[in-house]
């Protein structure tokens, strides 16, 4: 697979080079100097495709071994070729890998501190004098000199003009020095290491289940059991392991991004590579980490909470899971060849269908299509399960809030994701068989993609936060040792968020040129969605106020969630005000906002869920001291990462750009403190990353050595606490399903008037069956 | 972690499955289907890149499809022994006593509605947003602005070709009736499978023949679609009926392709059109519907085989109803696609 990709890729690259060399000169502005981005690789191909050995360039004045921080006077000259004295006889471009050039007269101009070319005044010379100051590190420096020798007739056709290239390396006292690390090699290595660690952990898990039989004969059925299981608990664990693994991989990408951004112009990740980094970071975190973690808990806990032995469609559930690792393989295709998707996780048209975007975009799209299928099947499964498999006595308004949150999230998901799927299929077909959905020359409309994407994209972000709401409700109620305050309003709030989420997506498109009327309407609906969310926050606060809070680690994370999600929600409320959005769009303010709600919301919710339900899922208690340590370090470092980003965004630090500048003579510069705060953010990021390893260590050691967990360690009331830890398989006996009798935390069992009317409408009489 | 507590419960991930114990606890089907889909999409992306076809990947594409087929085979190997003894029903309002799998099919159809809604949205955006080629031609002709040799980007609906004559419409019309008829035959299959007091051999034959007819009609649908798109057909002269000889060209021969950036039509004199968007929309939308019909054919193949083996009895006849629901949905979508894409 990789060889073929590499072969295809090199063929494509060769084709592009050939086309570029023949069709479009890579350099520009001829009499006034030679520039262009590709001169180092393609030469002065305006004058001729290939260099000519008649022209002999020379670079005089360089020492055998330079002294650090010394200025040398260099002379660039050439002989040969058709140049005669007078007009337009020659030009040059000199590039150095290090050091600084200085211009001494008007015949030379600097394109950058390390690249010089001639000026219009210097266009009729055959030699030029410049100065070069050596760097202070003492490593070898490379020079690339291009000179062209022209016949002065002002035309560059006919093959008369000639050019040539000279490569010179000047040694320094320190020798060749270390090769700069290639970001993709680093990423690839770290991913490999993570995979090895995962494999070792899995094998160790196998060893612990069966210490006396650590042989292949026992391993094969054990692995087969995991690969083929349709049991919701096993599938939940599979989702979980996948989610945690990709949380780590996404985190590694984030760490590398923070290394790149730790200072201005660090040069660790190139512009092109950086585009791939933030694309993959976003895609990995949302689709391969957050959603599987939520699916993992949903799979584990929802059937237990409603008293169902399994989900409605067990094999389809397994299919939903298995689509994900294979989709991940497709999405990550291109990372190891350097041609990964570079469109941003939002994949905007027309770039996403352009030949300029990397080859990996097609595979990214294909992987996303598989994930769409996975999510659709999951949505169908959970909606059906919750609708039809609730225990006797558990009406809709007696369900635990986590189950409600999964229901709302899945309804939003499976109604919105097909639109994304269709958009993806259109992009896939555009990129393969060349349909014209987003081909602007043929009349295609890139805004169509934006609509299809954000019609899904906005409900999607609520899909990842609403289950966290459910977790927080469960955790706070149990920790406060009382039932949640305002159960009914919590349900209506979640349903309201679910409904509203479909009519606010325009707020992602405020800068796309949409009509002012629609922008106004979307502004109002977006502001409206804060209301049900606020209701939930007040209900949580009131639950604690009326209860007696016990501080376990899950409680701490839930409290942290309340702080960070509220802050994230408030920062989000700046965007509906359209004038503010126009200013803040594509700045780090956006990055701060969504990381506050995604990490401070979803991830913290998932951490709370881990500490809350781990005893149920594994039968072991997690260590509370390690948990508290994880929380303290993690919470503080997390705020250290994302809080300063608000201010950076307001002063205009743009997002999705590989570096930033603080020099005062560049109009896109930032104030000097921006660099200091970016460094602070990067350091905090590393602390946060490593604090999460405390959680992993806690989970692994508790699995082996943790205290055995009772059925109900926290004093919860929902059904999952009535079964053993871990639960048996099947979770409940089909012939002996539980019955809900006393749901004291929920309202009374009598149906409301609406419920009674619905009952009479839908439920058939006792004598006849609903269908035969 | 939790394994299985009862030791008399063999693990059969390859099938067949004993349904008296409930749904399969293990199945290789999901992992193989996922592997196959990933391989198929990967090979498709390698084979085609911006319209450039690189040969040599067809075996890979077929391998991917074969692996998906293998996964389906395992799925059905576990299902073929299903006799309805395990068909749980809903316990709660509002679906009380309705089979769980039936509710699941309805929910699935809701998501499929969103799929076709998105396709129709795309169609509406482009159909209403890009000027119709006929209107553009008339407008430019009337104002004498038509530039000879220039290419104009406009929306050319397929109906201009297909609805241009009765013979052109014939495959589409037959297809419509074929699908509607197939919805009838599938209901008949269900009726005979459910019928309480008939001879088992009679039941087997009736169900098998009705399912087989549904299969044949679905295959006819796809065949006529291929005729319409790629093959075309010839009408011989039948003097006594007043039918003159005609050659009905397929759409691609008329130039109606997704790469058509220099399309002409005899109605528009000296008018070159870029109709890539219109053609892409037509083929992808009707193609998506066709893909759903193809999926139905695959399901029908399994069901016809199971019926031939006498596998449908009143206890498990409801399985036919699950497919019937999906099939009615496909029929309904066609009833919407046909007027919008073929007639209007």
């Amino acid at each position: 697979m990789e060889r073929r990709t590499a072969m295809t890729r090199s063929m494509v690259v060769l084709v592009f080079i050939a086309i570029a060399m023949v069709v479009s000169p890579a350099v520009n502005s001829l009499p006034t100097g030679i520039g262009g981005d590709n001169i180092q690789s393609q030469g002065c191909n305006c004058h001729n495709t290939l260099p000519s050995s008649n022209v002999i360039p020379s670079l005089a004045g360089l020492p055998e071994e330079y002294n650090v921080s010394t200025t040398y006077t260099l002379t660039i000259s050439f002989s040969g070729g058709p140049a005669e004295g007078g007009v337009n006889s020659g030009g040059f471009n000199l590039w150095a890998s290090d050091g600084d050039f200085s211009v001494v007269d008007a015949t030379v101009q600097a394109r950058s501190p390390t690249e010089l070319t001639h000026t219009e005044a210097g266009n009729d010379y055959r030699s030029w004098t410049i100065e070069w100051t050596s760097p202070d590190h003492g490593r070898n420096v490379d020079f690339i000199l291009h000179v062209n020798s022209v016949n002065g007739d002002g035309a560059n056709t006919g093959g008369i003009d000639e050019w040539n290239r000279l490569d010179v390396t000047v040694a320094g006292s320190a020798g060749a020095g270390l090769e700069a690390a290639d970001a993709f090699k680093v990423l690839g290595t770290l991913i490999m290491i993570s995979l090895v660690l995962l494999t070792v952990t899995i094998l160790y898990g196998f060893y612990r289940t069966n210490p006396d039989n650590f042989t292949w004969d026992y391993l094969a059925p054990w692995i087969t059991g995991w690969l083929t299981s349709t049991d919701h608990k096993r599938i939940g664990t599979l989702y979980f392991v996948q989610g945690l693994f990709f949380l780590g991989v996404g985190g590694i990408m984030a760490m590398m991004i923070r290394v790149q951004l730790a200072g201005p112009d660090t040069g660790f990740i190139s512009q092109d590579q950086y585009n791939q980094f933030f694309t993959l970071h976003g895609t990995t975190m949302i689709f391969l980490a957050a959603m599987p973690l939520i699916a993992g808990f949903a799979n584990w806990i929802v059937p237990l909470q409603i008293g169902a032995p399994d989900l409605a469609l067990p094999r389809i559930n397994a299919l939903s899971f298995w689509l994900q690792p294979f989709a991940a393989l497709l999405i990550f295709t291109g990372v190891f060849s350097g041609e990964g998707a570079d469109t941003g996780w939002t994949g905007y048209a027309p770039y996403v269908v352009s030949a300029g975007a990397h080859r990996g975009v097609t595979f990214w799209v294909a992987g996303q299509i598989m994930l769409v299928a996975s999510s659709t099947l999951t949505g169908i499964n959970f909606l059906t399960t919750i609708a039809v498999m609730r225990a006797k006595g558990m009406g809709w308004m007696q369900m635990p809030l986590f189950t409600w949150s999964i229901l709302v999230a899945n309804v939003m998901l499976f109604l919105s994701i097909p639109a994304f799927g269709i958009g993806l299929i259109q992009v896939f077909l555009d990129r393969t068989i060349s349909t014209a959905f987003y081909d602007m020359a043929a009349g295609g409309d890139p805004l169509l993609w934006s609509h299809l994407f954000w019609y899904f994209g906005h409900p999607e972000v609520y899909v990842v936060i609403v289950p966290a709401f459910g977790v927080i409700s469960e955790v706070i109620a149990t920790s406060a040792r009382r039932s949640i305050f305002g159960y009914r309003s919590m349900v209506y709030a979640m349903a309201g968020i679910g409904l509203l989420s479909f009519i606010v997506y325009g707020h992602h498109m405020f800068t796309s040129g949409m009509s002012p009327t629609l922008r106004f309407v979307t502004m109002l609906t977006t502001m409206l969605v804060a209301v049900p969310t606020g209701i939930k926050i007040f209900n949580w606060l009131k639950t604690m106020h009326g209860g007696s809070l016990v501080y376990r680690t899950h409680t701490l994370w839930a409290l942290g969630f309340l702080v960070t999600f509220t802050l994230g929600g408030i920062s989000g409320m700046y965007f509906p005000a359209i004038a503010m959005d126009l200013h803040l769009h594509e700045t780090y303010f956006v990055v701060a906002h969504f990381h506050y709600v995604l990490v401070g919301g979803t991830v913290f919710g998932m951490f709370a869920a881990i500490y809350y339900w781990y005893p149920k899922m594994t039968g072991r208690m997690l260590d509370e001291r390690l948990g508290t340590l994880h929380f303290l370090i993690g919470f503080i470092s997390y705020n250290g990462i994302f809080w300063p980003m608000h201010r950076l965004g307001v002063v205009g630090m743009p997002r999705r750009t590989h570096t930033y500048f603080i020099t005062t003579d560049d109009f896109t510069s930032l104030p000097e403190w921006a660099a200091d705060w970016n460094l602070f953010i990067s350091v905090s990021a590393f602390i946060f990353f490593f604090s999460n390893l405390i959680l992993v260590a806690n989970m692994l050691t508790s699995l082996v050595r943790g205290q055995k967990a009772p059925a109900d360690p926290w004093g919860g009331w929902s059904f999952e606490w009535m079964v053993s830890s871990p639960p048996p398989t099947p979770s409940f006996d089909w012939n002996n399903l539980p019955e809900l009798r006393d749901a004291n935390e929920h309202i009374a069992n009598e149906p409301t008037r609406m419920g009674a009317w619905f009952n009479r409408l839908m439920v058939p009489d006792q004598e006849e069956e609903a269908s035969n | 972690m939790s394994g299985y507590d009862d030791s008399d419960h063999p693990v059969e991930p390859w099938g067949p499955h004993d349904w008296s114990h409930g749904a399969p606890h293990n199945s290789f089907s999901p992992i193989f289907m996922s592997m196959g889909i990933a391989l198929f999409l990967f090979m498709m992306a390698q084979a085609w890149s911006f319209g450039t076809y690189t040969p040599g990947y067809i075996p890979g594409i077929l391998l991917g499809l074969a692996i998906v087929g293998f996964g389906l085979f395992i799925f059905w190997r576990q299902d073929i022994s299903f006799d309805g003894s395990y068909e749980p029903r809903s316990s709660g309002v509002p679906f009380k006593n309705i089979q769980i799998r039936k509710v699941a099919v309805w929910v699935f159809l809701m998501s499929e509605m969103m799929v076709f809604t998105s396709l129709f949205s795309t169609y509406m955006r482009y159909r209403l947003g890009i000027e119709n080629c006929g209107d553009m031609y008339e407008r430019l002709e009337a104002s004498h602005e038509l530039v000879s040799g220039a290419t104009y980007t406009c929306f050319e609906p397929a109906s201009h070709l297909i609805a241009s004559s009765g013979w052109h419409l014939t495959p589409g019309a037959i297809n419509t009736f074929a699908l509607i008829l197939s919805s009838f035959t599938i209901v008949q299959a269900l009726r005979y499978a459910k019928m309480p007091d008939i001879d088992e051999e009679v039941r087997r034959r009736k169900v098998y023949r009705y399912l087989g007819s549904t299969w044949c009609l679905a295959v006819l649908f796809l065949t006529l679609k291929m005729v319409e798109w790629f093959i075309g057909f010839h009408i011989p002269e039948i003097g006594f009926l007043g039918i003159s000889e005609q050659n009905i060209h397929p759409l691609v021969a008329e130039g109606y392709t997704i790469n058509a950036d220099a399309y002409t039509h005899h109605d528009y004199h000296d008018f070159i059109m870029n109709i890539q968007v219109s053609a892409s929309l037509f083929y992808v939308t009707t193609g998506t519907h066709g893909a759903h019909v193809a999926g139905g054919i695959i399901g029908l193949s399994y069901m016809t085989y199971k019926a031939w083996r006498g596998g449908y009895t009143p206890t498990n006849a409801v399985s036919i109803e699950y497919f019937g629901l999906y099939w009615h949905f496909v029929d309904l979508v066609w009833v919407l696609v046909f007027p919008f894409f073929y007639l209007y």
Side-chain angles (χ1 to χ4, degrees):
Chain A
M1 211 183 271
E2 276 198 52
R3 203 168 25 109
R4 245 183 251 135
T5 317
M7 260 167 45
T8 320
R9 176 178 149 247
S10 40
M11 270 165 49
V12 171
V13 169
L14 279 173
V15 165
F16 270 120
I17 288 183
I19 293 175
M21 289 179 81
V22 171
V23 169
S24 53
V27 297
N28 49 29
S29 53
L30 300 166
T32 48
I34 306 168
D37 299 318
N38 300 314
I39 183 170
Q40 268 72 39
S41 52
Q42 294 179 27
C44 301
N45 58 359
C46 303
H47 289 284
N48 219 324
T49 316
L50 296 167
S52 160
S53 52
N54 292 337
V55 178
I56 304 162
S58 89
L59 181 61
L62 283 172
E64 283 266 346
E65 186 180 293
Y66 70 84
N67 299 321
V68 296
S69 304
T70 315
T71 305
Y72 296 91
T73 306
L74 308 179
T75 309
I76 301 157
S77 62
F78 70 93
S79 62
E84 302 158 38
V87 178
N88 300 342
S89 57
F92 78 95
N93 176 293
L94 176 65
W95 174 88
S97 67
D98 240 318
D100 290 298
F101 284 122
S102 320
V103 165
V104 298
D105 57 33
T107 59
V108 177
Q109 59 174 310
R111 296 192 72 241
S112 82
T114 55
E115 190 175 348
L116 294 176
T117 184
H118 60 275
T119 58
E120 185 151 6
N123 199 21
D124 51 358
Y125 287 75
R126 277 193 267 180
S127 77
W128 301 266
T129 308
I130 56 154
E131 279 181 357
W132 175 72
T133 306
S134 58
D136 56 3
H137 48 63
R139 292 196 292 274
N140 295 357
V141 177
D142 299 315
F143 290 87
I144 300 178
L145 173 64
H146 284 87
V147 294
N148 51 35
S149 171
V150 304
N151 66 353
D153 63 358
N156 63 350
T157 54
I160 301 173
D161 303 334
E162 293 173 348
W163 62 274
N164 205 351
R165 165 184 168 141
L166 174 70
D167 288 81
V168 177
T169 304
V170 178
S173 52
L178 285 174
E179 193 186 313
D182 174 47
F184 274 112
K185 290 204 178 87
V186 175
L187 179 66
T189 312
L190 288 170
I191 293 179
M192 285 298 170
I193 293 176
S194 311
L195 277 169
V196 167
L197 286 173
L198 179 67
T199 314
V200 167
T201 311
I202 291 174
L203 283 173
Y204 182 67
F206 167 62
Y207 171 72
R208 291 298 305 199
T209 54
N210 224 337
D212 302 319
N213 292 313
F214 192 59
T215 64
W216 176 254
D217 290 327
Y218 282 89
L219 181 65
W222 185 84
I223 289 199
T224 307
W226 279 98
L227 291 181
T228 61
S229 175
T230 61
D231 178 41
H232 71 98
K233 299 188 289 295
R234 283 218 163 172
I235 293 176
T237 307
L238 286 170
Y239 267 118
F240 208 69
V241 169
Q242 184 206 319
L244 280 179
F245 175 73
F246 280 109
L247 195 68
V249 168
I252 289 171
M253 287 186 223
M255 294 307 109
M256 293 178 67
I257 290 175
R258 282 320 315 177
V259 166
Q260 164 67 11
L261 294 176
D265 207 16
T266 48
F268 174 47
I269 306 179
S270 75
Q271 181 176 352
D272 184 57
Q273 292 175 328
Y274 189 82
N275 294 346
Q276 298 173 57
F277 266 87
F278 66 72
T279 306
L280 285 169
H281 170 76
T283 306
T284 306
M285 285 306 206
I286 293 183
F287 292 106
L288 297 172
M291 290 184 67
L293 283 174
I294 292 169
F297 281 114
N299 267 288
W300 253 103
I301 302 295
V302 167
L304 295 176
Q305 280 195 338
I306 62 175
D310 205 318
L311 285 188
L313 304 167
R315 276 180 300 175
I316 303 281
N317 194 24
L319 179 64
S320 286
F321 170 72
W322 283 109
L323 282 168
Q324 298 217 345
F326 289 102
L329 276 177
L330 278 178
I331 288 171
F332 275 81
T333 304
V335 169
F336 289 96
S337 67
E339 286 283 320
D342 60 340
T343 55
W345 83 280
T346 50
Y348 276 172
Y351 183 62
V352 75
V353 296
S354 72
H358 289 176
R359 210 146 146 59
V361 172
T362 317
F363 301 108
W364 178 84
V365 172
Q368 296 273 59
I369 291 174
M370 289 179 70
L371 290 176
V372 166
S374 164
S375 293
T376 311
L377 293 172
T378 304
I380 295 166
N381 226 340
F382 275 98
L383 184 54
T384 308
T385 308
I386 296 174
V388 304
M389 288 169 76
R390 283 167 285 122
K392 186 156 177 278
M394 187 181 285
W396 289 94
M397 287 313 229
Q398 279 80 41
M399 291 200 308
L401 280 173
F402 179 69
T403 306
W404 262 116
S405 72
I406 294 294
L407 176 72
V408 169
N410 274 293
V411 170
M412 282 196 285
L413 183 63
F414 95 112
L415 286 179
S416 65
I417 212 165
F420 183 43
I422 290 298
L424 286 169
I425 291 175
Q426 290 168 344
V427 169
F428 189 76
L429 291 175
D430 271 17
R431 286 186 70 87
T432 49
I433 61 175
S434 189
T435 46
F437 287 103
Y438 300 111
D439 179 2
M440 294 181 75
D445 181 13
L447 263 188
L448 177 65
W449 166 264
S450 294
H451 281 282
L452 286 173
F453 180 82
W454 285 117
Y455 175 79
F456 154 71
H458 193 81
E460 162 69 9
V461 304
Y462 291 147
V463 164
V464 295
I465 195 63
V466 166
F469 288 166
V471 170
I472 299 301
S473 295
E474 301 276 344
V475 166
I476 287 188
T478 307
S479 302
R481 296 181 284 175
R482 58 155 287 177
S483 54
I484 199 83
F485 178 86
Y487 173 88
R488 204 172 262 269
S489 61
M490 288 297 229
V491 172
Y492 289 144
M494 280 195 286
I497 291 173
L499 204 63
L500 279 174
S501 67
F502 283 95
I503 56 174
V504 303
Y505 75 89
H507 65 234
H508 297 275
M509 298 170 59
F510 278 156
T511 56
S512 67
M514 59 195 275
S515 92
T517 318
L518 275 179
R519 273 188 273 168
F520 175 67
V521 169
T522 309
M523 174 173 84
L524 291 180
T525 53
T526 308
M527 289 176 167
L528 194 59
V529 88
V531 173
T533 320
I535 290 174
K536 296 185 74 69
I537 305 232
F538 284 120
N539 280 352
W540 287 319
L541 293 175
K542 183 62 186 142
T543 307
M544 293 191 290
H545 180 247
S548 156
L549 210 57
V550 174
Y551 291 94
R552 298 275 175 258
T553 314
H554 50 262
T555 322
L556 294 175
W557 282 110
L559 294 174
F561 169 98
L562 285 179
V563 171
T564 52
F565 182 75
T566 308
L567 289 173
I570 291 176
S571 69
M573 272 302 124
Y574 283 80
F575 295 105
I578 295 167
M580 285 302 297
D581 186 84
L582 294 180
H583 178 70
L584 297 171
H585 182 73
E586 285 298 286
T587 64
Y588 262 79
F589 196 88
V590 184
V591 177
H593 159 66
F594 68 69
H595 279 98
Y596 256 90
V597 290
L598 280 173
V599 181
T602 304
V603 176
F604 283 13
M606 289 302 109
F607 285 164
I610 292 174
Y611 285 99
Y612 188 59
W613 277 315
Y614 186 88
K616 173 57 55 188
M617 300 188 335
T618 61
R620 304 278 189 161
M621 304 293 285
L622 280 173
D623 186 69
E624 283 294 316
R625 285 168 313 162
L626 277 181
T628 312
L629 190 69
H630 172 215
F631 172 74
L632 286 174
I633 302 180
F635 187 74
I636 295 172
S637 58
Y638 158 84
N639 279 293
I641 306 173
F642 295 111
W643 187 251
M645 285 189 186
H646 289 102
R647 190 150 174 238
L648 285 171
V650 168
V651 297
M653 180 173 171
R655 63 183 282 218
R656 293 174 165 166
T657 44
H658 75 297
T659 191
Y660 53 92
F661 297 102
I662 55 170
T663 50
T664 49
D665 54 1
D666 186 343
F667 83 92
T668 57
S669 71
L670 299 167
E672 275 199 33
W673 54 258
D676 302 328
W677 278 106
N678 265 298
L679 183 60
F680 176 80
I681 291 172
S682 294
V683 171
S684 304
F686 270 85
I687 298 175
F688 182 66
F689 181 81
F690 285 109
S691 77
N692 292 319
L693 297 181
I694 299 176
L695 172 63
V696 176
N698 197 356
M699 286 168 65
L700 291 173
T701 52
S702 302
L703 204 55
V704 172
R705 281 203 295 267
Q707 196 189 3
K708 281 235 185 290
D712 191 2
W714 315 122
W717 290 279
S718 29
F719 266 155
E720 80 264 30
W721 304 112
M722 310 300 160
V723 293
S724 64
S725 300
T729 302
S731 307
F732 295 100
D733 185 2
W734 269 109
N735 304 314
N736 197 12
L737 292 170
E739 186 183 328
L740 181 67
R741 292 208 199 97
D742 177 16
N744 67 336
E745 80 238 49
H746 309 303
I747 51 157
N749 274 335
E750 291 89 45
T752 60
R753 284 175 53 197
M754 168 84 169
W757 169 78
F758 201 51
N759 247 325
R760 283 192 299 273
L761 195 64
M762 293 301 293
V763 176
D765 300 331
Q766 297 298 89
E767 298 84 54
E768 61 178 271
E769 301 253 301
S771 77
N772 19 323
Chain B
M1 300 280 160
S2 47
Y4 268 88
D5 302 301
D6 39 335
S7 55
D8 63 342
H9 199 114
V11 168
E12 317 130 344
W14 301 103
H17 179 74
D18 174 16
W19 284 84
S20 61
H21 277 135
H25 312 291
N26 294 84
S27 174
F28 263 116
S29 157
I31 193 169
F32 277 112
M33 289 208 275
S34 310
M35 207 187 295
I37 293 172
L39 190 62
F40 169 73
L41 285 172
F42 180 81
M43 289 298 168
M44 279 230 12
Q46 294 280 62
W48 279 278
S49 180
F50 293 106
T52 315
Y53 170 64
T54 313
Y57 287 104
I58 296 295
I61 295 178
L62 292 175
L63 179 65
L65 288 173
I67 296 178
V68 175
F70 180 64
L72 265 178
F73 166 72
I74 299 175
F75 193 88
W76 283 328
R77 193 156 180 252
Q78 293 179 310
D79 271 19
I80 194 122
S81 54
F82 176 71
D83 55 0
S85 54
Y86 170 83
E87 181 75 73
R89 289 167 181 266
S90 163
S91 51
V93 167
F95 302 113
K96 201 163 183 144
N97 273 328
I98 301 177
Q99 291 86 350
I100 288 178
R101 295 201 290 171
K102 198 185 294 191
V103 176
V105 172
W106 277 106
V107 175
F108 166 65
L109 292 181
M110 275 162 63
S111 77
E112 286 286 271
M113 253 178 59
M114 291 310 298
V115 169
F116 285 99
T117 305
S118 309
L119 284 168
F120 271 93
S121 289
T122 310
Y123 174 67
M124 276 187 346
R125 186 261 170 268
Y126 282 132
R127 181 87 196 244
L128 299 175
I130 300 180
E131 189 179 4
N132 188 286
C133 287
D135 295 343
M136 186 187 273
Y137 177 74
E138 275 162 38
R139 177 174 59 83
L140 292 174
E141 273 279 279
S143 61
H144 300 288
E145 282 168 358
L146 195 58
V147 177
S148 175
T151 307
Y152 294 93
T153 303
C154 52
F155 196 97
E156 168 79 346
S159 57
H160 194 212
L161 281 170
I162 300 174
S164 60
S165 81
W167 285 118
H168 267 101
L169 263 180
T170 315
I174 298 178
N175 272 351
T176 309
F177 284 114
L179 270 190
I180 294 176
L181 197 59
S182 69
S183 280
F184 173 69
T185 54
I186 193 94
V187 172
Q188 287 291 82
L190 174 65
R191 175 170 161 243
Y192 277 101
K194 282 196 304 193
M195 204 176 273
D197 297 311
I198 56 171
D199 179 51
E200 287 313 306
E201 180 56 27
V202 167
R203 185 200 308 285
R204 185 190 80 87
R205 261 204 326 245
K206 286 275 187 190
V207 175
Y208 159 62
R209 282 178 187 170
Y210 275 117
L211 284 177
S213 322
T214 315
W215 185 92
C216 289
L217 288 165
V219 169
L220 174 69
F221 178 91
L222 283 186
T223 311
L224 284 177
K225 194 176 278 296
M226 292 300 107
V227 163
E228 204 170 37
W229 285 12
F230 299 118
I231 305 174
F233 55 98
H234 178 74
I235 314 284
E237 169 144 10
I238 307 178
F240 71 94
L241 282 176
I243 297 173
S244 55
E245 179 173 3
Q246 272 185 71
N247 226 344
I248 304 295
H249 297 287
L251 286 174
V252 300
E254 301 265 26
Y256 198 80
T257 65
I258 59 177
N259 294 313
D261 52 4
Y263 174 77
T264 54
H265 191 283
H266 55 79
D267 278 351
Y268 308 136
H269 173 66
D270 201 18
F271 186 53
I272 305 176
M273 299 168 269
N274 182 333
I275 56 150
Q276 291 181 46
V277 172
S278 340
S280 300
L281 263 170
F282 173 77
Y283 286 112
V284 170
T285 312
T286 54
T288 307
H289 175 261
H292 281 78
V293 173
I297 291 176
I298 295 173
L300 269 170
S301 309
Y302 163 72
M303 289 171 64
T304 313
Y305 170 69
K306 181 166 177 172
W308 179 73
R309 292 234 318 223
Y312 288 111
T313 62
T315 359
N316 69 354
V318 72
S319 311
I320 301 180
E321 187 170 358
Y322 302 153
F323 180 81
L325 283 169
Y326 170 76
W327 198 245
H328 290 328
F329 176 77
V330 166
D331 188 14
L332 176 66
V333 171
W334 174 253
V335 164
L336 290 172
V337 164
F338 185 62
F340 273 110
F341 285 84
Y342 283 69
L343 298 179
Y344 170 51

